[in-house]
């Protein structure tokens, strides 16, 4: 009898310690990525007068701008005057991601149009010790509050952009994840729990593995340790992991580093998302068929290796204004991958769904720098001598939000798949 009593005490003690170690809330409105259309969310836009520390603003001026698409700012609570002028001569206005009301509006749109949620970009520099508690964390915290308020899925995506490789590794990302879990409570939100889970665990994304133009080698940045930490750490681990890789990850050629170690990393992950932006264009004959063929072969590899597959889709691409200064010998035309009023976007979406995709990643929600944003864009952008912006092809500003919501319904088979561009009734 005494033995049984002691054993019971030991079991209770063990359970208490184990419970104390668990930092993630297992409850969530989104237990799986399957059946969801998620988008990437940059949240890096600042404006003069918003209280941010920076003096460099993406919108710039007529001599130098870092954006190719202008947002429709008619619904924002706070907007800021810019040096750009509209066609009628009035100053063009921009939003700031630092304003809580901006983030709230974006998540409101997601709910209104049926966009399931977003992956919050957490760039390498933002995750470093000296930058961890700055503006990017304020935006992240605002996003998690809005996600709970509007019942939208949300998860952290670590973007390795900014990692130099010389003396830098993923150690700071380990410490940052501890900070996000302990201080910002990303996996223990107040109110509705909406952190995206997959395979029964909180999902963390690592983007930027296998790209040959990166200054780091994936073999010596501590990726093994980071993956092991996210999956197996008794306090902060027990996570699912998605890796963002190049389009040619499977064949290890074209836009991908020819290193088979990438396959080892992918096999250790739970999901893989090949980056498709700039890799496909409606201007190339039968390019969408190439996209389909790649998807089918990728999915086969993933089934054989027990890795879930996430196709990447995007509405178009434009990088003119930035390329004028960043690539003076290779200036990009405005709208180099044209949206065609949504036809290209829908071609990618319908092709992925028809191929059997169970989830989608949209690049991106708010990326006006490269003209891939799906949020409300302006058909009346600024007019200048030295800057050029895409318009919305005379479509409503919410056209791409609506299309994305339609994609979510068709993904979940709430309505039949349309192979041609849907039209609003």
């Amino acid at each position: 009898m005494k033995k049984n009593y002691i054993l019971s005490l030991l079991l209770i003690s063990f359970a208490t310690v184990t419970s104390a170690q668990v930092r993630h809330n297992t409850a969530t409105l989104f237990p799986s990525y399957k059946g969801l259309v998620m988008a990437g969310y940059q949240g890096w836009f600042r404006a003069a007068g918003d209280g941010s520390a920076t003096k460099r603003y993406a919108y710039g001026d007529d001599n130098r701008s870092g954006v190719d698409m202008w947002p429709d700012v008619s619904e924002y609570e706070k907007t800021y005057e810019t040096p750009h002028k509209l066609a009628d001569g009035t100053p063009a206005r921009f939003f700031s991601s630092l304003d809580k009301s901006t983030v709230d509006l974006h998540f409101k749109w997601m709910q209104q149009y049926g966009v399931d949620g977003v992956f919050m970009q957490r760039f390498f520099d933002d995750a470093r010790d000296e930058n961890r508690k700055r503006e990017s964390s304020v935006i992240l915290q605002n996003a998690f509050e809005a996600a709970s308020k509007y019942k939208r899925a949300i998860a952290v995506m670590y973007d390795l952009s900014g990692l130099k490789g010389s003396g830098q590794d993923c150690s700071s990302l380990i410490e940052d994840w501890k900070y996000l879990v302990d201080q910002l409570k990303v996996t223990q939100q107040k109110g509705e729990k909406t952190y995206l889970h997959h395979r029964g665990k909180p999902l963390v994304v690592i983007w930027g593995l296998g790209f040959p133009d990166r200054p780091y080698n994936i073999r010596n940045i501590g990726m093994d340790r980071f993956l092991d930490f996210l999956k197996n750490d008794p306090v902060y681990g027990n996570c699912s992991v998605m890796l963002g890789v190049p389009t040619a990850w499977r064949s290890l050629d074209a836009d991908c580093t020819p290193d088979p170690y990438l396959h080892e990393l992918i096999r250790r992950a739970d999901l893989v998302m090949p980056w498709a932006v700039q890799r496909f264009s409606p201007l190339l004959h039968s390019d969408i068929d190439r996209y389909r063929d790649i998807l089918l072969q990728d999915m086969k590899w993933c089934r054989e290796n027990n890795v879930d597959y996430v196709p990447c889709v995007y509405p178009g691409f434009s990088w003119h204004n930035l390329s004028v200064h960043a690539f003076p010998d290779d200036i990009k035309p405005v709208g180099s991958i044209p949206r065609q009023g949504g036809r290209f976007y829908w071609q990618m979406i319908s092709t992925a769904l028809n191929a059997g995709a169970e989830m989608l990643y949209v690049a991106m929600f708010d990326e006006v720098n490269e003209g891939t944003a799906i949020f409300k864009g302006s058909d009346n952008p600024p007019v200048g001598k030295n800057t050029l912006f895409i318009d919305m092809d005379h479509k409503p500003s919410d056209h791409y939000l609506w299309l994305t919501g339609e994609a979510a319904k068709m993904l979940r088979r709430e309505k039949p798949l349309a192979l041609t561009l849907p039209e609003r009734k």
Side-chain angles (χ1 to χ4, degrees), residues 20-128:
Q21 288 180 326
V22 176
R23 300 293 171 91
H24 311 310
N25 196 316
T26 56
T28 178
L29 295 180
F30 301 95
S32 175
Y33 192 168
K34 291 185 179 182
L36 303 183
V37 176
M38 300 283 290
Y41 191 96
Q42 303 283 26
W44 58 17
F45 301 100
R46 308 290 190 273
D50 66 356
S52 59
T54 186
K55 300 299 179 185
R56 298 176 60 188
Y57 311 109
Y59 53 73
D61 54 37
D62 188 42
N63 292 315
R64 184 166 187 157
S65 177
V67 304
D68 266 38
M69 173 182 170
W70 203 262
D72 174 3
V73 296
S74 60
E75 296 179 43
Y76 290 81
E77 183 179 317
K78 295 181 181 179
T79 59
Y80 302 83
E81 187 174 310
T82 75
H84 297 275
K85 304 293 183 183
L86 299 178
D88 63 3
T90 59
R93 301 184 71 84
F94 211 90
F95 66 85
S96 170
S97 301
L98 191 55
D99 290 329
K100 188 173 184 177
S101 60
T102 291
V103 177
D104 186 90
L105 179 63
H106 289 168
F107 278 82
K108 180 181 178 180
W109 285 344
M110 293 176 212
Q111 184 189 63
Q112 180 180 353
Y113 291 94
V115 180
D116 291 306
V118 290
F119 291 101
M120 298 298 298
Q121 308 292 113
R122 184 74 168 168
F123 292 91
F124 182 81
D125 283 340
D126 292 329
R128 295 172 64 183

Side-chain angles (χ1 to χ4, degrees), residues 176-420:
D176 187 69
W177 179 244
K178 292 178 182 179
Y179 166 75
L180 296 185
V181 171
D182 286 342
Q183 303 302 318
L184 299 193
K185 309 292 184 184
V186 295
T187 56
Q188 305 173 67
Q189 290 160 289
K190 293 181 180 178
E192 293 285 0
K193 307 294 187 283
T194 65
Y195 195 95
L196 178 60
H197 285 50
H198 192 74
R199 296 186 176 182
K201 304 171 184 178
L203 178 58
V204 180
V205 186
I206 307 168
W207 191 94
L209 297 173
F211 294 86
D213 60 346
R214 299 291 165 129
Y216 50 83
N217 186 317
I218 58 175
R219 288 180 177 265
N220 58 23
I221 56 172
M223 189 52 57
D224 274 323
R225 181 171 170 241
F226 190 32
L227 279 174
D228 182 69
F229 167 77
L230 289 173
K231 285 186 157 292
N232 302 313
D233 187 86
V235 179
Y236 300 96
N238 197 36
C239 298
S240 291
V241 176
M242 180 168 85
L243 299 183
V245 299
T247 292
W249 64 273
R250 178 176 38 79
S251 53
L252 299 174
D253 55 16
D255 69 340
C256 185
T257 302
D259 187 347
Y261 177 60
L262 180 61
H263 287 177
E264 294 181 30
L265 294 175
I266 293 172
R267 287 189 182 97
R268 291 178 58 190
D270 300 276
L271 308 97
V272 63
M273 185 271 286
W275 191 242
V277 177
Q278 282 189 280
R279 274 59 173 181
F280 303 92
S281 171
L283 301 180
L284 296 175
H285 181 65
S286 299
D287 210 30
I288 205 69
D289 293 336
R290 182 173 66 91
Y291 177 61
R292 176 203 61 208
D293 293 344
I294 289 173
L295 290 183
L296 291 172
Q297 294 172 61
D298 282 358
M299 289 176 179
K300 181 177 182 294
W301 188 99
C302 286
R303 284 193 299 270
E304 293 170 350
N305 290 274
N306 192 32
V307 178
D308 290 326
Y309 186 75
V310 185
C312 173
V313 298
Y314 68 107
F317 180 84
S318 185
W319 212 10
H320 171 75
N321 290 326
L322 186 63
S323 72
V324 169
H325 301 278
F327 314 108
D329 297 326
D330 185 25
I331 297 174
K332 310 296 182 185
V334 180
S336 55
I337 300 178
R339 294 184 171 220
Q340 299 182 326
R343 286 193 298 275
F344 174 62
Y345 186 42
W346 197 257
Q347 276 188 317
M348 294 200 81
I349 289 171
S350 61
T351 299
L353 296 185
N354 205 31
E358 297 180 291
M359 49 206 131
L360 292 177
Y361 178 91
V362 176
M364 305 281 289
F365 185 84
D366 59 339
E367 172 69 277
V368 293
N369 302 84
E370 299 176 4
T372 61
I374 62 163
F375 72 173
K376 296 188 181 186
S378 176
D379 201 43
N380 179 34
V383 177
K385 296 179 180 178
N386 303 306
T387 51
L388 297 169
F389 303 92
I390 64 170
D391 57 31
M392 291 293 100
D393 299 314
H394 308 301
K395 296 290 185 180
S397 65
D398 64 350
H399 184 54
Y400 293 90
L401 286 170
W402 180 79
L403 287 175
T404 306
E406 290 296 287
K409 293 173 187 174
M410 294 178 193
L411 171 64
R412 292 190 284 270
R413 298 181 181 177
E414 295 168 4
K415 62 189 308 183
L417 174 61
L419 298 179
T420 56

Side-chain angles (χ1 to χ4, degrees), residues 126-170:
D126 292 329
R128 295 172 64 183
D129 293 347
E130 62 271 27
N131 298 329
R132 188 165 294 138
K133 299 180 181 180
R134 294 184 179 177
E135 293 170 358
S136 61
S137 290
V138 173
I139 294 168
L140 190 67
Q141 193 162 22
N142 289 339
F144 272 84
E145 288 183 21
S148 182
K149 176 180 177 181
Y150 294 105
K151 299 181 176 63
R152 296 298 92 188
I154 190 169
V156 173
M157 173 180 279
Y158 282 110
D159 190 321
L160 300 183
S161 301
L163 174 60
K164 307 301 182 189
S166 54
Q168 292 182 339
D169 61 20
C170 292

